């Protein structure tokens, strides 16, 4: 059923809740207005925003674009809306979420309430352990957020959301354009990655292009079981036999091409991820590895000698994180030592909280050790008269230690029903 009467749900109470959910520490948009500036006269600002949205007078400002390192010398463009635009987008996203949460499949984990990247990783690992692995199809959609076709997105939205007020607002955000180095550009493709409304629109798009097609058409045509896990535009498919995997590998570029998307054939690949033999005499299998959501997945022995799936920090993610630490230390090495210590402690805790999973202790210790080396290196360049030696560094860290390595998630707990 398509809804054509949703705009009335966006009232002052919803805007207040949207404001509460909006992150206040984010970068400023093209108007350079901070969350504190907006909060100084909050009720008036929300009242004015609600009136303009209700009357159709709301004008979506362009999104400020910045490029962040992606690894391998590449960058990822991120869109930064104005703070008021974030609040308005959050309100509409909340309405769309209420409509689409009942439609989205369980395979989708990205930017959905109560779901996280670790839930997606656990779902894949548990299924692969149950089936003894299989053939994993990695598919990389080239510049998905930049090439999303507005025409197809409007068609997909027509199936569930036909309210003119909501659709008018979405159209304004899609056509608002991007401001980069003083230049405003507009096109008929893409939704800025980093925009508040972008995740729900991306999920709607891939729900129709991938999820629904996979479960209603592709999976029933396969010879054996197949399993899909998707987080935003990152996804893998686990197949029990090679023939099904080869068929999906051939059809994926055609399926995405039909909706204006391109599969990056250089980054997409088929991996033999079958479990190694348990007993002697079984056919030898040398399973490959693959990356998903920052983790490299591989088979390893448990303490009991059984084959289990292990997850470790992907090498590319580790290098990117260390590069970011080095850049920060370089430009902030003249700050007071306690401020640097506090910031690096936050970085380490955040890293451990995401990558702290069972059997990843070696990579976590490596990251912490390298952070200490990088910090000492740049402290050593603050003054030629007082060089920071390892002995000095060890004495300081003994007094003010960096956070210890900690595992936050147990694969055994995640495997319990």
């Amino acid at each position: 059923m398509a809804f054509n009467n949703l705009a009335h749900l966006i009232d002052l109470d919803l805007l207040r809740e949207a404001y509460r959910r909006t992150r206040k520490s984010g970068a400023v948009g093209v108007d350079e207005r901070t969350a504190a500036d907006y909060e100084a006269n909050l009720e008036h600002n929300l009242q004015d925003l609600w009136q303009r949205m209700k009357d159709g007078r709301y004008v979506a400002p362009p999104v400020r674009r910045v490029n962040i390192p992606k690894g391998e010398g590449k960058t990822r463009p991120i869109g930064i809306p104005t703070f008021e635009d974030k609040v308005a987008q959050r309100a509409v996203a909340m309405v769309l979420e209420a409509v689409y949460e009942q439609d989205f499949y369980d395979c989708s984990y990205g930017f959905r309430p109560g779901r996280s990247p670790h839930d997606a990783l656990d779902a894949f690992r548990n299924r692969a352990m149950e089936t003894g692995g299989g053939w994993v199809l990695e598919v990389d959609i080239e510049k998905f957020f930049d090439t999303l076709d507005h025409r197809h997105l409007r068609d997909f939205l027509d199936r569930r959301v036909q309210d003119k007020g909501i659709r008018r607002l979405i159209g304004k955000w899609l056509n608002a354009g991007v401001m980069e180095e003083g230049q405003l550009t507009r096109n008929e493709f893409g939704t800025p990655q980093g925009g508040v409304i972008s995740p729900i629109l991306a999920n709607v798009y891939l729900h129709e292009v991938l999820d629904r097609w996979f479960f209603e058409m592709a999976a029933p045509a396969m010879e054996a079981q197949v399993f899909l896990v998707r987080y935003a535009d990152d996804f893998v498919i686990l197949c029990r036999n090679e023939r099904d995997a080869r068929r999906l590998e051939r059809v994926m570029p055609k399926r995405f091409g039909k909706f204006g998307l391109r599969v990056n054939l250089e980054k997409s690949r088929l991996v033999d991820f079958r479990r190694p033999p348990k007993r002697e005499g079984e056919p030898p299998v040398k399973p490959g590895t693959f990356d998903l959501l920052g983790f490299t997945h591989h088979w390893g022995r448990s303490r009991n000698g059984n084959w289990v799936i292990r997850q470790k920090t992907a090498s590319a993610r580790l290098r990117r994180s260390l590069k970011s630490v080095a850049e920060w230390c370089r430009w902030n090495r003249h700050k007071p030592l306690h401020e640097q210590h506090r910031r690096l402690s936050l970085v380490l805790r955040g890293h451990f909280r995401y990558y702290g999973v069972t059997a990843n202790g070696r990579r976590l210790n490596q990251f912490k050790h390298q952070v200490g080396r990088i910090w000492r290196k740049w402290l050593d360049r603050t003054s030629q008269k007082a060089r920071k030696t390892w002995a000095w560094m060890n004495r300081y860290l003994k007094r003010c230690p960096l956070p210890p390595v900690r595992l936050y998630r147990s694969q055994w707990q995640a495997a319990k029903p």
Side-chain angles (χ1 to χ4, degrees), residues 75-255:
T75 59
R76 173 185 283 117
I78 296 294
I80 304 175
T82 64
F83 184 79
E84 183 179 68
D85 209 33
K86 291 178 184 178
V87 175
Q89 290 188 28
R90 178 68 64 191
V92 173
M94 290 164 64
V95 174
L96 294 180
E97 183 181 282
V99 173
Y100 281 101
E101 269 303 305
Q102 60 187 326
D103 294 351
F104 290 155
Y105 288 90
D106 287 340
C107 67
S108 170
Y109 290 86
F111 308 107
R112 294 182 60 188
R115 292 180 167 231
S116 70
H118 291 104
D119 293 330
L121 293 166
D122 292 341
F124 174 86
R125 182 183 182 277
N126 294 340
R127 177 57 68 90
M129 288 289 291
E130 291 174 3
T131 62
W135 295 83
V136 173
L137 178 60
E138 282 187 274
V139 181
D140 182 84
I141 306 175
E142 189 172 344
K143 297 181 179 179
F144 168 71
F145 283 91
D146 293 332
T147 58
L148 181 150
D149 192 309
H150 294 177
R151 178 172 52 88
H152 290 300
L153 176 61
R154 293 187 183 98
D155 291 340
F156 297 150
L157 289 170
D158 282 342
R159 301 175 186 180
R160 295 291 276 145
V161 179
Q162 295 182 3
D163 181 273
K164 293 181 179 179
I166 297 291
R167 294 297 299 274
R168 186 185 303 114
L169 286 168
I170 294 174
K172 288 180 178 181
W173 286 317
L174 291 176
N175 297 323
V178 174
M179 183 72 71
E180 186 173 12
E181 297 181 353
Q183 297 293 324
L184 177 63
T185 58
R186 291 189 174 91
N187 55 52
E188 298 179 358
F189 301 93
T191 175
Q193 190 171 1
V196 178
I197 197 69
S198 296
I200 184 67
L201 296 182
N203 274 337
V204 170
Y205 203 92
L206 288 176
H207 170 74
E208 298 290 346
V209 174
L210 177 62
D211 302 352
R212 184 189 294 275
W213 166 81
F214 179 83
F215 284 101
E216 295 184 2
M217 299 181 64
M222 298 293 107
E223 298 177 0
Q225 291 183 351
V226 290
F227 181 67
L228 168 68
V229 172
R230 179 176 68 82
Y231 190 91
D233 60 327
D234 293 326
F235 70 94
V236 294
I237 300 175
L238 175 67
C239 304
R240 291 293 302 274
N241 65 46
E242 184 179 4
R243 186 181 303 178
D244 289 339
R246 297 289 181 189
R247 290 175 62 189
L248 287 171
E249 184 181 30
R250 289 193 298 269
V251 78
M252 279 296 174
K254 300 177 184 177
R255 175 63 185 176

Side-chain angles (χ1 to χ4, degrees), residues 4-37:
N4 54 23
N5 189 20
L6 294 171
H8 72 281
L9 298 174
I10 301 179
D11 55 15
L12 273 175
D13 289 336
L14 187 71
L15 286 177
R16 290 190 187 100
E17 178 62 17
Y19 167 80
R20 187 187 68 82
R21 297 189 187 186
T22 302
R23 189 162 64 96
K24 311 301 188 295
S25 59
V28 297
V30 294
D31 63 351
E32 300 185 354
R33 194 180 185 186
T34 65
D37 296 335

